[in-house]
């Protein structure tokens, strides 16, 4: 457990106050097999269960009975056969004591406890499930078919959890910074290895191994590709080529499951061409602008739109866009070049709490999601708060199929110079990403060491560190 007992007790007490009545069911994860039952992935606990109960063992669930002020840790103690294969672990009673839970029960009693609550007319609160085994368990417990479980999940519980988990404590920030330190090592290693002839998979495998060597894991499958225009371009066995760019989007996840998420774009030759540098510097300017304006009370939507305006102005100066800048942004013309949002919350999950519903995590009654292409992919739009952790990740991409689609349909033809774009179809893409903590009156980078990203610094780092 990362925190002391009182931290988990206080979190659950706060949750009780926010939800108000009924019983809360929070399910831990079970082992997930690769290809047969005994061949399993490294275990990853559900983030909400970890937040409120702190235990990493599989096969657990928690009950918080608000009306009767009773809490249970549900699970079966392991038997001697499991001990032979996997070693001894704490009993469920010991784990309950560690996180300040008074009562325990075997998993076979979960149905009885739920049925008793239903018989008393208590409301049953549960979060939207994302694993099929938990969906089946909820169907057995509550009779709700998996197809209806997301819509019948408790909105009051969802909002209460988001309110708590969005604001990070000092101890949580320290753990995220540990992830950032590993991320720094991963990304600088990728930059050192980046040269013609080495394969994408070799670099990606090496940096994933860095996370594993710390006893951790990657916070998501590493994105590493010469085809940076593919937003989730996973590594292939192809060798890197002279004159192209390598985009690396990767992060680490600590043993306590707090994440980092950075992106760097590296010239494989060691130096940017002028054409690459022109686009790269626009992305840097957008990235640094977000750091300057992000602070409590500012809508992240407005930060996103402000960097869209800068991007449009600069692309217009290069001849790639045209027309009135404000009208172009309002019409979403810039989304041809950046079809994603500026960033997202980050914490225990790299897309923090995404499973609870992005319309609740990143939006509220004041700021609602958009259906416009590009803006619809902005994961957070609402006003920033002190203690939030956000990613700052502008990018510019030249996606041939998207360019052709817009050109054939005349989409935003008043703002896009499609003829000029023809010579950029083999360009690829550029993204630069860092993790930000929203502070009292602004924001700051997370992580002690900065992965080089200004063009001159990148070229200098490569000149000094590539063998």
């Amino acid at each position: 457990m990362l925190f002391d007992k009182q931290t988990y007790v206080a979190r659950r007490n706060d949750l009780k106050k926010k939800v108000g009545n009924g019983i809360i069911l929070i399910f831990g994860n079970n082992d997930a097999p690769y290809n047969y039952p005994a061949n399993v992935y490294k275990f990853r606990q559900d983030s909400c269960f970890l937040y409120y109960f702190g235990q990493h063992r599989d096969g657990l669930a928690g009950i918080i009975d608000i009306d009767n002020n009773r809490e249970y840790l549900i699970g079966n103690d392991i038997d001697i056969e499991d001990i032979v294969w996997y070693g001894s672990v704490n009993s469920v009673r010991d784990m309950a004591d560690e996180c300040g839970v008074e009562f325990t029960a075997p998993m076979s009693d979960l149905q009885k406890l739920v049925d008793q609550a239903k018989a008393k007319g208590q409301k049953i609160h549960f979060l939207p499930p994302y694993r099929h085994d938990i969906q089946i368990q909820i169907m057995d417990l509550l009779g709700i078919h998996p197809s209806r479980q997301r819509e019948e999940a408790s909105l009051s519980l969802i909002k209460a959890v988001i309110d708590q988990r969005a604001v990070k404590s000092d101890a949580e920030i320290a753990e995220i910074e540990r992830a950032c330190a590993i991320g720094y090592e991963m990304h600088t290693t990728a930059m050192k290895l980046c040269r013609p002839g080495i394969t994408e998979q070799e670099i990606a495998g090496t940096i994933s191994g860095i996370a594993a060597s710390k006893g951790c894991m990657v916070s998501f499958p590493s994105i590493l590709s010469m085809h940076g225009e593919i937003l989730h371009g996973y590594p292939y066995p192809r060798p890197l080529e002279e004159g192209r760019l390598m985009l690396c989007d990767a992060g680490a996840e600590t043993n306590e499951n707090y994440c980092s998420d950075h992106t760097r774009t590296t010239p494989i030759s060691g130096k940017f061409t002028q054409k690459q540098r022109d686009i790269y510097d626009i992305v840097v300017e957008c990235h640094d602008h977000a750091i300057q304006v992000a602070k409590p009370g500012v809508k992240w939507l407005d930060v996103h739109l402000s960097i869209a305006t800068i991007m449009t102005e600069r692309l217009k100066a290069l001849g790639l866009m045209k027309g009135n800048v404000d009208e172009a942004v309002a019409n979403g013309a810039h989304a041809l070049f950046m079809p994603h949002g500026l960033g997202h919350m980050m914490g225990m999950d790299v897309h923090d709490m995404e499973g609870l519903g992005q319309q609740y995590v990143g939006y509220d009654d004041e700021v609602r999601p958009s259906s416009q292409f590009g803006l619809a992919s902005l994961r957070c739009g609402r006003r920033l708060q002190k203690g939030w952790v956000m990613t700052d990740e502008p990018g510019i991409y030249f996606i041939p199929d998207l360019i052709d689609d817009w050109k054939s349909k005349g989409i935003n033809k008043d703002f896009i110079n499609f003829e000029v774009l023809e010579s950029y179809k083999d360009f690829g893409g550029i993204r630069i990403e860092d993790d930000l903590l929203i502070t009292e009156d602004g924001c700051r980078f997370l992580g002690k060491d900065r992965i080089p990203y200004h063009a001159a610094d990148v070229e200098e780092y490569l000149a000094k560190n590539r063998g």
Side-chain angles (χ1 to χ4, degrees), residues 106-119:
M107 191 57 71
S108 59
D109 282 0
L110 180 58
Q111 184 73 65
K112 180 176 68 176
L113 291 167
V114 169
D115 288 345
Q116 288 173 350
K118 289 166 65 178

Side-chain angles (χ1 to χ4, degrees), residues 299-344:
K299 295 177 189 174
W300 190 247
L301 170 63
D302 290 341
V303 182
H304 172 90
L305 292 174
S306 69
I307 71 102
T309 299
I310 292 170
M311 184 178 296
T312 301
E313 290 171 344
R314 302 299 179 263
L315 291 172
K316 181 179 176 181
L318 289 177
L320 292 165
M321 297 188 72
K322 60 185 179 180
N324 181 276
V325 169
D326 292 338
E327 289 179 10
V329 172
N331 281 277
H334 62 281
L336 176 67
F337 303 95
M338 192 178 93
H340 61 74
L342 175 61
H344 50 80

Side-chain angles (χ1 to χ4, degrees), residues 211-242:
S213 73
K214 310 292 184 183
C216 304
M217 61 178 80
V218 293
S219 50
F220 55 94
S222 298
I223 297 165
L224 192 144
S225 178
M226 289 183 293
H227 285 279
E229 78 279 7
I230 302 172
L231 300 185
H232 286 175
Y234 297 118
Y236 279 79
R238 58 190 165 212
L240 300 186
E241 299 170 9
E242 188 87 23

Side-chain angles (χ1 to χ4, degrees), residues 168-360:
K168 307 300 186 287
S169 68
D170 290 344
E172 289 180 290
I173 295 302
E175 192 68 12
I176 292 172
E177 299 218 84
R178 277 191 274 276
C180 289
I182 301 168
Y184 172 86
E185 187 174 342
M186 292 167 67
H187 277 275
T188 53
T189 297
M191 293 173 72
K192 292 173 186 176
L193 292 173
C194 179
R195 61 174 56 83
I198 191 170
T199 69
E200 295 173 358
Q201 285 184 341
E202 183 175 348
I203 299 176
T206 300
I207 66 174
S208 296
I210 289 170
S213 73
K214 310 292 184 183
C216 304
M217 61 178 80
V218 293
S219 50
F220 55 94
S222 298
I223 297 165
L224 192 144
S225 178
M226 289 183 293
H227 285 279
E229 78 279 7
I230 302 172
L231 300 185
H232 286 175
Y234 297 118
Y236 279 79
R238 58 190 165 212
L240 300 186
E241 299 170 9
E242 188 87 23
R244 300 196 65 174
L245 298 168
M246 180 191 79
L247 188 150
C248 178
D249 186 342
E253 185 170 313
T254 69
N255 287 330
E256 293 297 333
N257 301 120
Y258 285 86
C259 300
S260 69
D261 185 5
H262 297 90
T263 306
R264 293 296 185 265
T265 307
T266 304
I268 295 167
S269 303
K271 286 187 175 294
F272 295 99
T273 66
Q274 188 58 53
K275 189 176 186 178
Q276 291 169 346
R277 178 73 178 262
D278 289 342
I279 301 299
Y280 188 89
D281 284 346
I282 298 173
V283 179
V284 169
E285 184 179 357
C286 292
H287 170 277
D288 289 354
H289 175 76
I291 297 166
Q292 293 162 9
V293 301
K295 62 181 180 180
V298 171
K299 295 177 189 174
W300 190 247
L301 170 63
D302 290 341
V303 182
H304 172 90
L305 292 174
S306 69
I307 71 102
T309 299
I310 292 170
M311 184 178 296
T312 301
E313 290 171 344
R314 302 299 179 263
L315 291 172
K316 181 179 176 181
L318 289 177
L320 292 165
M321 297 188 72
K322 60 185 179 180
N324 181 276
V325 169
D326 292 338
E327 289 179 10
V329 172
N331 281 277
H334 62 281
L336 176 67
F337 303 95
M338 192 178 93
H340 61 74
L342 175 61
H344 50 80
M345 286 191 193
M346 190 187 74
M348 274 191 201
D349 308 308
V350 71
H351 292 161
D352 207 18
M353 302 175 285
E354 184 179 74
L356 300 183
Q358 209 63 57
Q359 72 272 32
Y360 307 122

